[in-house]
Structure formats: structure tokens, C-alpha cells
Amino acid sequence: MNRKSLVLPAVIGLLAPVLAACGGTDGAGKSDGSIVVGTTDQFAASKKAPAPFDPAYAYDAGSWNVLRQTLQTLMALPRGGGEPVPEAARQCGFTDTGNERYECTLREGLTFSGGDAVTAADVKYSIDRVRAINADSGVSGLLANIDTVETQGESKVIFHLKTADATFPFKLATPVAGIVHPADYSKSKLREGFDIDGSGPYKVSAQVKDDVVVKVVFTKNANYKGQLNPKNGKVELRSYLDADDMGVALEKGDIDLMTRTMSPTQIQKLSDDPGKNINLIETPGLEIRYLGFNTDAPGARTKAVRQAMAQLINRGELASKVYGTQAEPLYSLVPATITGHANSFFNKYGDPSVDKAKQMLEQANVTTPVKLTLNYTTDHYGEGTEKEFEQLKKQLNASGLFDVTIKGTKWTEFRPNELEGKYAVYGLGWFPDFPDADNFVAPFLDKGNFLASPYANSTIRNELIPESRRQADRLTASKSLEKIQSIVADDVPVLPLWQGKQYVAARDDIQGVEWALDSSSNLQLWELSRGVKG
């Protein structure tokens, strides 16, 4: 891959450590030596979502953070960000001038955690399996541009793409391309439950109660061969129902580190109250939040309604009142720090205006107030979500042009409902699969998209996305990407709201905390170790 101009700042240069204290016990050591990490991510199996840890289905940040520790991929993102590097592969690269033939050679001696050899046939099986199952989560869309997968001998895999795609190495670094053992994963159906088997840096076991994971235990895989260097022998990931409980556990020393999702209140408290035992670290993030629209649904199918909402919502007020300095207003699907970003929504709508929104609705003969329900998930993005939607409701209703109600639903029900088109308007977040502008447009706008959205723009799908992917130089791709963002601002199939920062809080005897998350919110447990208190 000849991506020469996608320049992301090294994480180490942007870290902003803030000392903070919450008291608690003096020692957070665990009797078995494990490092314990807290999360509010909930991992549950249900009839609608029976396989939360199957790479052919999983497509949320929490599940991917489990899979990244256990399943090996041909490529991986380097420690400080930038272009992917070989992981299960010894080398990879495009072998043609058109970026349509990508070849990888496996490392020698690769084995699954159980000892069986990892071969090129296993890689092909894993990729073909995801594409064949084509789960409704939309994750297979990342591999949709693959035409065929070819193997040569035991170690060479060749991907023949339908069209040029300079971002393909990034896709091979995501868990959907995780290598699985054919004996453990059926070719035609999902692996239900919480078992995971792979060749990654850790083996895993999950403690489950009532089809919900209580904790996930990662144990160093002695058979692992790759470019990662685990600095610990065991990590335990504990799920908490809310951020407050997780924070108390950190104070008491029951856990060593906590990250997603900390509440705005917690982060502010840790920032304002310096002390000895706990460090808060702010790192650059690419998380975005947005409203999605079912453009076939009553209430949301009229473009003028969506445009009026874009004209009315005050992103700056929303971000500051709910998240303080922890979020910034966003005027495009593409974050401001990514090459190809354009302030397309601000360029079209400018500052919030009731008069302009009223004119849009009148010209489209829309009767006001427009009745809408804004749907959100109560347990996936943290406690700020409800406050955020209360603020959105307040802003829209204050205009007199809308009569908005809000409704919260648990993630295990919310996400299937959204995919089935049951919501006209809904709120979601996006943690990128990889740090490129393509991954902030294609998952929402291309065929088989993450939202299962009925919105289809032929110019975007057939011209602009393929055109941008042909460009190995991502600055050159910016022209096509900016056109996409302009169309989105006009049609409003999605409405970007804000871009967030990310935080990690850890007890001061834990080392490597600055590397615990990369810019795409990928958890890197292998970087953590226990050291001397500072």
C-alpha cells in the first residue's frame, strides 16, 4: 500500500496527563498478579444477537476490544498510529499498479492457541466465512470489495479486489478479518455464546451469568507469534452497570484501570481534584456521535424535516452543556483531525436559525410542529447520552417547529430495532474501524452499510467512494471525500453532532497507560504492566 500523505500525530506527542486522586487503598495488587480493567461495556447474548464475540457478527467497540486481544489479523495498527504493519503476516503489499491485487505471506511457525498450525487456507476460510454469513450487523461490508481469495501453498494469500482500494490494508487489521480455526467456527452459521479461539496474544475465558458476561479473563498465549510484545501475563476485564460503580472500584483498588465509558462528571472530578493514587490521561480520539434517519419512515422521509433539524441544532451548546471540554461540535461525518475533513454542515447551514428552518419547512409544505421520537440507547455510550437527548429535545421543541419526545432502550434491543428499521430517528456513536476518512463515510453510505439505511445516493456509491479509494495519496482523495460530505450535508441521511476526546484513569503503579487506547479507541491490553508507584 502506497499511502504517503495520511499523517496522524503520534499518540505520545499528544498525551495530556492530569494527576487526580480519589483516595482509596494504597495498593491495587491482585493475588494472582493480574491487571484488572473496568469497563461499562456490556456483553450479552440474545435471540436477536446470539454471537457477540463472533468476528462474522461483532461490530461494536466493546466486542472488538475483546477480539483484538485474542484473534490475530494479517495486519495491525502500529503502537503510535499510522499505516498498518504485518502481524500474522511476514509481509503484505499490493502487487499491481491499480491497487486491486493484495498479497500476504504468513509468518513461519504460526499456530492457534491450541497448537494447530495456522495456514493460508485458514485465512481464506475465515474471510470467506464472514462474507458468506453476511450478518445483519453490517460488519461484512468491510470485506465487500473482495472478489476472490486465492492461496498458494501453506503461507501465501492473495486477495483479488473488485475495484481499487488503497484502504484495504486497514481493513485487514480489523477483527472482521480475524483468523479462526475451521474446527471451531462453522462455515455457514455464527458461533453462539462467548467462546473465542484464535492465535492472538491472549487466550480468553468468559464468566457468564444469565447470558451476560461478568468478566473476561485474558491469559498470555505461549504459542503467539507476531509483532506485539505483551508486557503482562494476565488481564481481567470486568463489566460494570454504570460508571459510578466502576469509579468506586478504582478508588478501592478493586480494579487497576478504567476507560470506556467514564462519565463527564467523573472526568471533571478527576481533572479538578489532583492527588496521589490515580492518574487521569487524556488522549486524542476519533469518536463521533450523530443522529441517523430512516429515510423511508414517516416523519423522517421528508428531506426538509432533516434539513430543518440540521439548521436548528446548536452543536456547541449541546457539547458544552453535556460534556464540557470533553467534546467539540462536529460539522461533518469526518472528524476535524482526519485528512479529507470538510465543515460541510456549517458551510451549508451556518449558525442555528429558527427563521431559516421555518422557511425550509414552509417551502416543502410541511405542517408544524413536526412530531418525532428521538431514540437512544441507555447503556452503551455512558450516562451522558440521556442528558444529550434531553438537550436535543429542548433545542428542537424551543423552536416551535417540532414536537419531540425521546425514548431510551437497552443496547441489546436498541441495535436490532434500528437495523430492522423500527426507528425514524436514532442516536449512535462511531468508533472508527481505522483512521481514514473512508471509514467515516462508506460504513454509513455504501451498499450493505452499518446502519442498514435505505438512503442510497448513486453518485456517492458508484463514483465518489470508488474514486477516493483509488488514491493511495489520501490528500489527493480529499476532493472526492469533500464532495461526499457536501452531498450528505444537503440530503442529511445522518446528522453529525460532536467529536469526543477519550480518557483513561489508572492507579499509579500501572505502566503503559498512555498506550492503553489508540486514537480509534482500540484497547491495547498487551501494553499494560505493573510497576513501582510514582
Side-chain angles (χ1 to χ4, degrees):
M1 178 180 178
N2 297 313
R3 293 167 50 88
K4 300 186 183 298
S5 61
L6 174 58
V7 181
L8 295 178
V11 174
I12 191 67
L14 290 179
L15 294 173
V18 183
L19 291 179
C22 299
T25 60
D26 183 57
K30 305 299 176 289
S31 59
D32 64 356
S34 63
I35 294 173
V36 182
V37 176
T39 180
T40 59
D41 286 324
Q42 301 293 305
F43 309 111
S46 65
K47 185 176 181 180
K48 290 185 176 180
F53 290 159
D54 190 322
Y57 180 83
Y59 204 13
D60 64 271
S63 296
W64 269 24
N65 278 335
V66 174
L67 294 179
R68 285 185 186 278
Q69 323 303 316
T70 51
L71 296 184
Q72 203 169 13
T73 49
L74 291 171
M75 303 291 285
L77 295 179
R79 189 189 204 199
E83 296 186 20
V85 296
E87 163 56 354
R90 175 167 54 85
Q91 62 181 30
C92 286
F94 284 106
T95 58
D96 66 337
T97 57
N99 290 344
E100 294 181 356
R101 186 183 189 275
Y102 196 77
E103 183 177 301
C104 292
T105 302
L106 295 178
R107 294 177 185 268
E108 294 182 3
L110 282 181
T111 64
F112 291 104
S113 58
D116 290 344
V118 176
T119 68
D122 296 321
V123 177
K124 174 178 168 59
Y125 179 92
S126 302
I127 300 296
D128 286 346
R129 174 179 180 270
V130 172
R131 298 165 63 219
I133 291 175
N134 192 27
D136 62 6
S137 66
V139 70
S140 62
L142 284 167
L143 305 178
N145 194 35
I146 295 175
D147 186 19
T148 58
V149 184
E150 175 189 355
T151 62
Q152 291 183 2
E154 293 289 302
S155 63
K156 186 169 290 187
V157 185
I158 303 169
F159 298 92
H160 300 277
L161 307 183
K162 298 174 184 176
T163 59
D165 186 2
T167 71
F168 187 66
F170 280 98
K171 295 170 183 175
L172 290 182
T174 63
V176 70
I179 305 168
V180 301
H181 198 310
D184 298 319
Y185 293 81
S186 167
K187 186 175 183 178
S188 57
K189 63 180 182 179
L190 295 170
R191 184 179 187 179
E192 298 184 4
F194 304 98
D195 291 332
I196 311 170
D197 293 280
S199 57
Y202 294 98
K203 295 186 289 186
V204 65
S205 63
Q207 180 178 317
V208 181
K209 182 179 180 180
D210 298 327
D211 290 327
V212 177
V213 171
V214 177
K215 65 180 179 181
V216 181
V217 179
F218 301 94
T219 306
K220 190 174 181 178
N221 176 14
N223 292 328
Y224 169 72
K225 291 185 179 180
Q227 60 94 26
L228 302 176
N229 179 29
K231 297 174 176 61
N232 58 71
K234 189 175 184 180
V235 181
E236 182 179 307
L237 186 67
R238 291 185 189 173
S239 287
Y240 290 85
L241 290 176
D242 60 56
D244 289 338
D245 289 345
M246 182 171 63
V248 170
L250 184 68
E251 292 176 18
K252 293 169 59 179
D254 292 339
I255 63 176
D256 298 299
L257 179 149
M258 66 178 184
T259 172
R260 51 170 285 132
T261 301
M262 298 165 63
S263 71
T265 304
Q266 278 180 324
I267 294 168
Q268 192 62 52
K269 177 184 176 182
L270 288 168
S271 298
D272 294 342
D273 187 12
K276 298 179 181 179
N277 298 320
I278 297 172
N279 295 334
L280 177 70
I281 294 181
E282 174 189 307
T283 69
L286 298 175
E287 172 192 5
I288 68 169
R289 297 287 176 86
Y290 59 93
L291 293 178
F293 297 93
N294 178 351
T295 53
D296 283 348
R301 69 163 60 102
T302 303
K303 183 166 73 169
V305 171
R306 306 193 300 269
Q307 289 179 325
M309 292 176 68
Q311 183 66 70
L312 288 170
I313 291 174
N314 188 325
R315 293 167 176 80
E317 182 182 69
L318 176 69
S320 64
K321 286 192 173 182
V322 180
Y323 299 101
T325 60
Q326 301 156 31
E328 298 177 350
L330 181 64
Y331 297 94
S332 169
L333 280 174
V334 180
T337 50
I338 291 288
T339 300
H341 165 81
N343 281 320
S344 52
F345 275 81
F346 188 82
N347 294 340
K348 181 171 178 63
Y349 301 99
D351 293 324
S353 170
V354 174
D355 290 340
K356 290 181 180 179
K358 182 178 180 180
Q359 185 177 14
M360 291 172 181
L361 295 172
E362 287 177 346
Q363 289 178 349
N365 296 316
V366 175
T367 301
T368 58
V370 179
K371 290 188 176 183
L372 285 177
T373 298
L374 308 187
N375 293 273
Y376 65 95
T377 173
T378 57
D379 59 346
H380 198 65
Y381 300 116
E383 70 171 32
T385 308
E386 182 178 0
K387 296 177 182 178
E388 178 181 337
F389 274 74
E390 288 173 349
Q391 185 65 29
L392 287 169
K393 172 185 174 181
K394 181 179 178 180
Q395 289 186 6
L396 291 169
N397 288 350
S399 71
L401 302 174
F402 285 86
D403 180 6
V404 166
T405 58
I406 60 175
K407 182 179 180 182
T409 307
K410 287 187 175 182
W411 179 254
T412 51
E413 182 180 351
F414 173 87
R415 177 62 172 150
N417 284 349
E418 183 273 314
L419 290 172
E420 292 169 11
K422 293 183 178 180
Y423 301 143
V425 190
Y426 50 88
L428 280 172
W430 183 249
F431 299 85
D433 307 322
F434 51 88
D436 186 278
D438 177 86
N439 195 240
F440 290 92
V441 294
F444 306 98
L445 306 170
D446 211 351
K447 298 175 183 177
N449 61 72
F450 165 75
L451 302 176
S453 172
Y455 173 79
N457 184 287
S458 59
T459 300
I460 291 176
R461 290 185 177 183
N462 301 330
E463 298 177 25
L464 296 176
I465 289 178
E467 184 178 284
S468 71
R469 289 174 174 172
R470 284 194 291 269
Q471 305 300 327
D473 185 326
R474 302 313 281 164
L475 274 177
T476 306
S478 293
K479 183 179 293 186
S480 302
L481 292 164
E482 289 169 5
K483 289 179 181 178
I484 293 172
Q485 292 167 78
S486 294
I487 293 172
V488 170
D490 186 59
D491 288 350
V492 200
V494 287
L495 177 54
L497 298 172
W498 55 266
Q499 175 180 349
K501 302 173 184 178
Q502 56 185 13
Y503 297 84
V504 179
R507 299 190 70 84
D508 60 6
D509 64 336
I510 300 301
Q511 307 299 313
V513 179
E514 67 270 28
W515 302 109
L517 290 176
D518 69 10
S519 64
S520 297
S521 299
N522 299 320
L523 197 57
Q524 302 178 137
L525 297 179
W526 53 83
E527 295 286 357
L528 302 176
S529 62
R530 195 179 299 282
V532 179
K533 289 179 179 287

